[in-house]
């Protein structure tokens, strides 16, 4: 045990393993060892069952730890802490005779932590590099009958300093374990080089094979089965591989002892004039960062789930994935080859925890870690080098700078010059092929695209991409459209990868009323953690889409449809890389539009009526692009025929003489009617935007101004002809600023119209979150039906996926529940009915932001988890004249200036009334843009 503990402090790579090689599809026998193993705490614990693949903390052994940057142990490299959980894993199995008949290899695809492996009491070696494949030679050790495989796994080691990715720390054998037969005269490794020449449509294939036998290569679809290994072969005509046309050719590599089959795509990626090029055409990445995560199984994600994820991405116009921040399970890249997505494979490397200490001791520039860096990069590249979908090798993430990073960049380029090298953390960009940044503002991205940003001559030759942007945390991300417009404008801008695809919530059971408990950092008692920062995905942990995914689909659409204001022409912009539009179905005449072209055609639509044009994928059926013409609408007019009475009644409404506010509308009691400027902070409101990082967060500014605590003074109640006019002044305590509010009420005897004016006074110290009125109904709503924009919510810088129509949503769907409660769910409505079961409230206006939820904003703001929100007993409603955007200040820029709400005069005109109309049944879930629209 002493040697085991001592070796944990070594910065050297694992020992005893075989040289890294590709994962190959072979006809040689193999034996999966996944299933039920035994586990115990070392030393002296009792044995119990555990599932492999799986994580220890998710099966009752320890607890997960979530930390984004900070190490949850003392920064004392290369030493791990003494408080270091160690677990013994054991599997007893009988070797498959078919495997036993040959030399054999034991493969571990992923073991989180640091381990030593024994087979039949023979030490095979050690495992370092948690998300990397390791193979051991078991020839002569594997035996007939019962074999005993032991794995002693420590949570912490020197290599923990290299694995500080933004995710849960969870040790365990979380990927598959397999025994592989390695026949004498078989194939140890294959490296496929398949390029495409766009000038003449030809392809060149070279298959390098590591074997002691005579090797033959065949490509049946190209009529050749007698190609020599290690030789370049030219084919006059091949179909190129792209994400839009993922054409794969079966390549058969065989010796007398073994046959390996690969699926090969011909394609060439390169840089030309600071532009990212694929097959001779500019390439725009519409990507996401993807961690491997499952709410029950952590990073142990089966391929069926992964396939469903990729199909969901494709249905929402996502064409690229960055495997943040480690290589994915090997089979994932088979799927991206097949389905068609561009991939940046990232090395299993991040040392971000050194940044809080000014990067002191960072292994990236320490010679004693050089071998570990090279080992990790080598294993990353060698495993995945045969995948057409892989366009980039990324050296790692947030590892600072240093000679070790330079070394692995040079190695990667020498080993595989057919792909581009990426690393974001070194602004010199000396050893990479693209200039990459995280969370740069749109202003900076525009300067980079236009070559007006100061930079050296070398970096000016590189295309630019955002390896992370548009932090999709909570209500957001805001500002997607502004980035995309820049990507379309400047050829140097190669697009980017939204952070991130999936939320990392862990399943914590269910409440008594059946609601799922979703947990994040700190929920497992971690003294060092980063809270809900791990809940930042376009889809929830169970892969149900959040509202932001529909926005992404619209912004990322490879076809833009523009209906002119007169409805007389339609402009079609085809932003596909290589496809025309013949694969799309349209219910209007669709002309031929080549890739990269723009065509304008006459349009014959009914005058001044709502019109929707849509393009759908003919094979898969999902919507690819759409556009609407929404005719102008007028604010509803209510004739002022009713006259206010002396006891403050006006039509169906009764007013309180003490406050001037309505307290009843027909048979409906109205509570707590008041002007409001605050919202329950979103995750982005709680962050400090990168453009003003020296200032408090917007949520803190609102709190300092007591924006959530407006106190109201009634100034006067007057009658102006048939209008009841109420003037109030509202303001927070402490400061000498507030708002003067004029409430002008009129009625025709059935409906109640409000013309509300809000005017700021005094020196406001902060922007507003919103400006409008709140009210509460004493019963919970069951559903909301509205005509306006939907089905998802819409804020000034979000909601690109919302279209005009009539929608129905149940209470939870309308409110948009999030793992950490926050402001969400506003829809811009013209006509909405809040159903209370036999009664309700109807709201009419034009583009009125309407929020409906079963909790007050204070309750939402004070509640840490969705499952902790109380049961619905009332309905809180907000009708706003204006709202602020949401931005991405949780990590990146805050709300863009155009979408901020500075203190200013605001006007709201709405009509409230009863009775309500008959309502249709509520929809059960959020509806993404890929599904049929209402």
């Amino acid at each position: 045990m002493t040697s085991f503990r001592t070796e944990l402090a070594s910065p050297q790579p694992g020992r005893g393993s075989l040289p890294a090689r590709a994962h190959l599809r072979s006809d040689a026998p193999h034996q999966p060892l996944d299933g039920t193993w035994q586990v115990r705490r070392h030393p002296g614990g009792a044995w119990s069952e555990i599932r492999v693949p799986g994580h220890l903390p998710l099966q009752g052994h320890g607890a997960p730890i979530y930390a984004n940057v900070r190490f949850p142990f003392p920064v004392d490299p290369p030493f791990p802490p003494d408080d270091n959980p160690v677990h013994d894993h054991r599997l007893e199995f009988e070797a498959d005779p078919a495997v036993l008949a040959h030399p054999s290899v034991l493969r571990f695809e992923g073991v989180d932590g640091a381990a030593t492996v024994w087979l039949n009491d023979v030490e095979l070696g050690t495992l370092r590099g948690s998300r990397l494949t390791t193979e051991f030679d078991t020839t002569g050790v594997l035996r007939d009958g019962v074999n005993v495989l032991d794995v002693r796994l420590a949570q912490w080691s020197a290599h923990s300093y290299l694995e500080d990715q933004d995710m849960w720390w969870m040790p365990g054998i979380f990927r598959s374990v397999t025994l592989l037969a390695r026949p004498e005269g078989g194939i140890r490794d294959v490296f496929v080089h398949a390029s495409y020449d766009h000038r003449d449509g030809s392809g060149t294939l070279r298959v390098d094979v590591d074997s002691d036998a005579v090797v033959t290569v065949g490509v049946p679809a190209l009529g050749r089965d007698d190609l020599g290994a290690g030789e370049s072969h030219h084919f006059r005509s091949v179909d190129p591989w792209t994400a839009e046309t993922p054409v794969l050719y079966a390549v058969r590599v065989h010796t007398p002892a073994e046959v390996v089959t690969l699926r090969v795509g011909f394609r060439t990626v390169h840089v030309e004039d600071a532009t990212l090029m694929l097959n001779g055409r500019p390439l725009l990445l519409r990507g996401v960062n993807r961690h491997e995560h499952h709410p029950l199984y952590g990073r142990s994600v089966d391929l069926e789930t992964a396939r469903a994820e990729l199909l969901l991405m494709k249905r929402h116009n996502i064409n690229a994935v960055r495997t943040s921040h480690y290589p994915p399970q090997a089979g994932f890249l088979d799927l991206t080859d097949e389905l068609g997505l561009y991939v940046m494979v990232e090395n299993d490397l991040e040392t971000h925890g050194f940044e809080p200490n000014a990067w002191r001791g960072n292994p990236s520039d320490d010679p004693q870690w050089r071998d570990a860096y090279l080992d990790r990069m080598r294993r990353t590249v060698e495993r995945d080098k045969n995948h057409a979908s892989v366009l980039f090798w990324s050296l790692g993430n947030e590892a600072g700078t240093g000679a070790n990073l330079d070394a692995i960049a040079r190695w990667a380029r020498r080993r595989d010059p057919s792909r581009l090298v990426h690393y974001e953390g070194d602004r010199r960009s000396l050893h990479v092929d693209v200039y990459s940044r995280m969370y740069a503002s749109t202003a900076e991205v525009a300067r980079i695209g236009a070559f007006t940003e100061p930079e050296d001559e070398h970096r000016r030759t590189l295309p630019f991409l955002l390896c992370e942007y548009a932090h999709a945390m909570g209500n957001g991300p805001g500002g997607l459209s502004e980035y995309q417009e820049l990507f379309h404008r400047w050829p140097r801008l190669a697009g980017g990868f939204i952070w991130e695809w999936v939320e990392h919530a862990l399943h914590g059971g269910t409440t008594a009323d059946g609601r799922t408990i979703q947990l994040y950092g700190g929920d497992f008692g971690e003294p060092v953690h980063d809270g809900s920062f791990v809940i930042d995905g376009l889809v929830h942990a169970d892969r149900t889409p959040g509202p932001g995914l529909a926005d992404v689909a619209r912004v990322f659409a490879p076809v833009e449809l523009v209906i002119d204001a007169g409805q007389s022409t339609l402009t079609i912009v085809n932003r596909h890389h290589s496809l025309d539009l013949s694969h799309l179905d349209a219910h209007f005449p669709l002309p031929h539009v080549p890739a990269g072209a723009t065509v304008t055609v006459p349009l014959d639509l009914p005058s001044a009526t709502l019109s929707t044009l849509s393009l759908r994928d003919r094979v898969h059926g999902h919507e690819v692009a759409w556009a609407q013409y929404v005719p102008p609408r007028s604010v509803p007019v209510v004739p002022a025929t009713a006259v206010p009475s002396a006891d403050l009644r006006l039509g169906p409404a009764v007013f309180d003489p003490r406050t001037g506010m309505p307290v009843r509308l027909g048979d409906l009691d109205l509570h707590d009617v008041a002007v409001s400027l605050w919202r329950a902070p979103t995750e982005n409101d709680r962050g400090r935007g990168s453009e003003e990082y020296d200032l408090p967060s917007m949520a803190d500014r609102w709190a300092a101004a007591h924006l959530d605590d407006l106190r109201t003074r009634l100034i006067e109640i007057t009658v102006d002809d048939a209008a009841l006019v109420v003037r109030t002044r509202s303001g927070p305590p402490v400061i000498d600023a507030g708002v003067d509010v004029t409430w002008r009420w009129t009625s025709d005897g059935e409906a109640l119209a409000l013309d509300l004016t809000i005017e700021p006074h005094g020196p406001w110290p902060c922007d507003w979150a919103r400006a409008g009125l709140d009210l509460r109904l004493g019963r919970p709503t069951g559903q909301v039906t509205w005509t306006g924009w939907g089905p998802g919510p819409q804020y000034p810088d979000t909601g690109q996926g919302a279209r005009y129509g009539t929608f129905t949503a149940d209470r939870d769907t309308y409110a948009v529940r999030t793992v950490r409660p926050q402001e969400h769910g506003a829809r811009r409505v013209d006509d909405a009915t809040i159903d209370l079961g036999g009664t309700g409230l109807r709201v009419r206006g034009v583009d009125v932001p309407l929020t409906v939820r079963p909790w007050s904003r204070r309750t939402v703001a004070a509640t840490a988890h969705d499952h902790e929100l109380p049961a619905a007993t009332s309905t809180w409603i907000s009708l706003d004249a204006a709202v602020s955007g949401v931005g991405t200040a949780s990590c990146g820029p805050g709300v863009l200036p155009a979408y901020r709400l500075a203190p200013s005069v605001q006007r709201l005109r709405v009509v409230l009334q009863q009775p309500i109309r008959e309502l249709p049944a509520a929809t059960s879930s959020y509806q993404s843009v890929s599904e049929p629209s209402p």
Side-chain angles (χ1 to χ4, degrees), residues 572-789:
I572 305 167
V573 184
N574 182 6
R575 294 196 173 95
H576 282 97
H577 173 266
S578 49
L579 287 178
D580 61 19
L581 305 185
S582 59
H583 65 294
L584 302 177
D585 281 334
H587 59 276
F588 58 91
L590 185 61
H592 174 66
V593 187
T598 298
V599 174
T600 299
V601 295
L603 193 61
D604 184 16
L605 293 176
S607 178
T609 60
L610 176 67
S611 301
T612 302
L613 303 181
S614 178
L615 297 176
R616 307 191 80 86
D617 185 284
R618 183 173 300 115
V619 174
H620 303 289
H622 64 274
E623 189 171 57
V624 173
W626 60 272
Q628 279 190 317
Y629 174 79
V630 180
R633 291 98 61 220
S634 300
V635 175
V637 176
V638 174
T641 55
V643 177
S645 65
D647 59 352
L648 295 187
R649 294 175 180 268
L650 177 61
V654 178
F655 292 79
D656 185 340
R658 296 168 302 174
T659 64
M661 296 297 104
V663 294
R664 192 166 183 83
L665 182 71
D667 64 2
L668 191 64
D669 289 333
L670 306 179
H671 305 274
D672 307 326
V673 179
V675 71
S676 179
L677 306 175
W678 182 71
R679 67 186 181 201
T682 67
E683 295 281 27
N684 288 309
D685 293 334
R686 295 185 179 104
R688 289 183 295 164
S690 55
E691 76 284 2
E692 47 184 17
Y693 201 72
D694 56 333
L695 297 178
S697 71
M698 196 60 71
D700 286 343
R701 286 180 244 178
W702 295 338
H706 301 277
L707 202 64
D708 62 332
D709 188 19
L710 296 189
R711 316 287 179 86
T712 297
R713 173 171 62 87
L714 176 63
I715 296 175
E716 65 177 3
I717 302 174
T718 60
V719 174
D720 181 10
D721 293 330
L724 182 68
V725 180
V726 179
R727 292 180 56 239
T728 60
R729 170 168 281 196
S730 298
V734 181
I735 67 173
D736 59 346
V739 289
D740 292 318
V741 185
T742 301
W743 313 68
R744 186 178 182 87
W745 302 93
T746 55
S747 176
D748 62 357
E750 294 185 358
L752 182 67
L754 170 64
D755 188 342
L756 178 75
T757 303
I758 301 172
E759 299 183 56
H761 76 83
W764 273 97
C766 63
D767 289 343
W768 296 342
R770 40 182 285 269
L773 69 89
D774 293 342
L775 63 90
R776 178 174 64 86
L777 305 179
R779 296 163 58 179
T781 180
Q783 65 181 32
V784 182
T785 296
W786 74 100
T787 295
W789 303 89

Side-chain angles (χ1 to χ4, degrees), residues 874-885:
S874 297
T875 299
W876 277 263
I877 298 170
S878 295
L879 303 168
D880 288 322
V883 297
S884 170

